Amino acid sequence: MDEWIEENSKTNPAKEEAYQITKVALPWFMRHLNQSGSIYMFSSEDMKIEIGNWKKAQFIAFPKRKKRIEETCDLLISFFESDVIETHKMTVHA
């Protein structure tokens, strides 16, 4: 994730804080998925569905932070779809 943050912060330094928040949010999202091991498995479709579910739960828990939650969820999707994931062979194409 650090590599992804560094790459994206260079092209969009105004969003560096949002990228850092996304880094902090990633473990929370993985706990939402009940992913606690060293290998995580989920399809892209499942990930997007679960980010949507997690987002709804976050809206309920933090109703005044909707804009930040939206941005963080969008950035989580962006991270999982990034070249960094492919470069480090973190995906399996079925």
Side-chain angles (χ1 to χ4, degrees):
M1 176 149 262
D2 290 330
E3 184 178 330
W4 177 78
I5 290 169
E6 187 177 326
E7 285 178 14
N8 285 289
S9 293
K10 285 180 185 176
T11 58
N12 197 349
K15 283 192 139 191
E16 185 170 1
E17 181 181 15
Y19 296 125
Q20 293 297 333
I21 291 167
T22 303
K23 179 180 178 177
V24 172
L26 181 60
W28 291 1
F29 175 64
M30 298 309 278
R31 271 185 252 142
H32 166 80
L33 293 175
N34 293 319
Q35 298 280 344
S36 59
S38 59
I39 297 175
Y40 308 110
M41 285 186 67
F42 44 85
S43 70
S44 178
E45 183 179 329
D46 287 345
M47 180 262 307
K48 289 177 184 174
I49 290 167
E50 288 304 322
I51 283 183
N53 293 337
W54 186 64
K55 183 190 315 185
K56 289 174 191 172
Q58 296 303 304
F59 284 163
I60 292 167
F62 307 100
K64 294 181 180 181
R65 301 268 187 198
K66 285 188 176 188
K67 184 177 178 185
R68 178 164 280 169
I69 293 165
E70 283 281 350
E71 181 176 43
T72 300
C73 289
D74 290 346
L75 289 173
L76 281 170
I77 292 170
S78 180
F79 168 68
F80 283 118
E81 292 178 341
S82 72
D83 290 341
V84 170
I85 297 292
E86 288 291 326
T87 300
H88 293 285
K89 297 174 178 46
M90 297 167 64
T91 61
V92 174
H93 297 281

